[in-house]
Amino acid sequence: MGSPFTGQSIESARRALAARLKAAQLDEAEQDARVLLGAVLGLDLTGLIAQAARPLTAAEASRLVQHAERRIAGEPVARILGTREFWGLPFRLSEATLVPRPDTETVVELALEIFRERNAAHPPRIADIGTGSGAILLALLHEIPDAFGIGTDLSLSALVTARDNAAALGLADRAAFVACSYAAALSGPFDLIVSNPPYIPSAEIPKLSIEVREHDPHLALDGGNDGYDAYRALIPQATDRLAPGGALVVEAGQGQARNIETLMAAAALSLDRPPKADLAGISRAVSARKMPP
């Protein structure tokens, strides 16, 4: 039996796919339909409009059905396509990496604000702890042309993905990747340390959306009983590896910023600015400096 999309025009197939996704109660059905159809056909939005009357081939229709079934089953579009844009850059994903989210761009924004205040004569050294796909580190290297960065992760598969992303973005000569727990294998000193650590309390993970709980790696989500295990491990390590005047910037979950600041202060870091809010108004990026002796 052929695909229900076989022989349909591109526009008809888009409408039919959007209707199927809406019937499955997916919030962004129209957008998902455009993206999935565009991926199958190798067309951007302009191309979809320009070729709206062209009929789908049987192979294209079959692939579109496969994509639709995966999306209706709760798999995120980025997982289906294997890529996600972050900071305007394309990142390949793997099962060992989180899907980079717009909220995390707040960490990049704050890190750049802090960097642009520095007056050091040497090229900056950056560490990204729990780098995953390399999104934060590579976004920063893209913005700071003379910087060198190291990304760490427990997952070798994630590090392979991050290394491949660095190569694809033309940043391989300024990026290195190390397998270790947090910053354990790093010696420093670093001018900037960034991290999006796991911060979801263990008991909350089953309550997350199916896109997250079934498709993001739990290693990158589970922050322990209260959600702060990673910060307790990371912040003292980062303090030891920061250069005098260097800064630590971490992502925070909703309602966590104040407790993270308390952990930073306990590690003798200086809180010299308020947390930076994301577009939803949540305090998403928290920073502190290592003051010169």
Side-chain angles (χ1 to χ4, degrees):
M1 185 177 180
S3 162
F5 299 115
T6 300
Q8 287 195 15
S9 69
I10 287 176
E11 177 59 17
S12 295
R14 185 197 64 77
R15 291 177 182 274
L17 178 56
R20 290 183 67 175
L21 299 182
K22 284 180 182 176
Q25 299 184 327
L26 295 173
D27 291 337
E28 298 181 347
E30 292 283 351
Q31 177 178 321
D32 289 355
R34 284 195 301 272
V35 172
L36 292 174
L37 182 58
V40 166
L41 301 176
L43 298 174
D44 59 14
L45 178 58
T46 301
L48 291 175
I49 294 170
Q51 300 187 40
R54 175 174 81 75
L56 269 63
T57 66
E60 291 167 345
S62 178
R63 285 188 62 208
L64 190 59
V65 167
Q66 293 171 10
H67 283 4
E69 289 174 346
R70 291 171 67 180
R71 184 68 192 102
I72 289 168
E75 189 171 354
V77 169
R79 293 281 181 205
I80 297 170
L81 304 184
T83 61
R84 177 64 177 259
E85 183 178 287
F86 178 85
W87 201 256
L89 304 171
F91 285 88
R92 190 173 70 80
L93 308 177
S94 70
E95 292 182 356
T97 65
L98 291 173
V99 175
R101 292 173 173 82
D103 294 344
T104 302
E105 293 187 351
T106 312
V107 174
V108 178
E109 291 170 0
L110 182 55
L112 288 173
E113 289 174 12
I114 292 170
F115 163 76
R116 286 165 181 153
E117 295 173 358
R118 70 190 282 276
N119 296 307
H122 63 276
R125 296 186 74 225
I126 303 170
D128 179 13
I129 310 304
T131 194
S133 64
I136 297 175
L137 177 64
L138 298 176
L140 289 170
L141 294 181
H142 177 78
E143 294 293 329
I144 309 172
D146 62 340
F148 178 82
I150 299 177
T152 74
D153 208 288
L154 273 176
S155 168
L156 290 175
S157 177
L159 292 171
V160 169
T161 303
R163 182 195 65 194
D164 290 347
N165 282 326
L169 293 169
L171 299 169
D173 60 336
R174 295 194 287 122
F177 299 96
V178 178
C180 66
S181 177
Y182 301 112
L186 304 183
S187 58
F190 292 95
D191 303 289
L192 181 63
I193 296 178
V194 293
S195 182
N196 176 18
Y199 55 71
I200 308 296
S202 302
E204 296 297 315
I205 291 178
K207 304 174 188 176
L208 298 173
S209 69
I210 189 172
E211 287 89 348
V212 176
R213 73 173 187 269
E214 297 294 335
H215 297 282
D216 275 341
H218 281 214
L219 183 66
L221 296 173
D222 194 339
N225 287 339
D226 62 358
Y228 295 97
D229 282 2
Y231 300 105
R232 294 189 188 96
L234 165 64
I235 290 170
Q237 289 184 6
T239 302
D240 289 342
R241 291 156 177 81
L242 279 171
L248 170 64
V249 184
V250 299
E251 181 165 329
Q254 186 169 3
Q256 292 182 322
R258 183 168 296 180
N259 287 338
I260 293 169
E261 287 184 323
T262 298
L263 292 170
M264 288 175 163
L269 293 175
S270 175
L271 305 170
D272 62 349
R273 69 186 66 221
K276 187 174 184 66
D278 62 19
L279 293 176
I282 295 169
S283 294
R284 185 64 67 185
V286 184
S287 68
R289 284 187 184 273
K290 183 175 182 176
M291 301 307 293

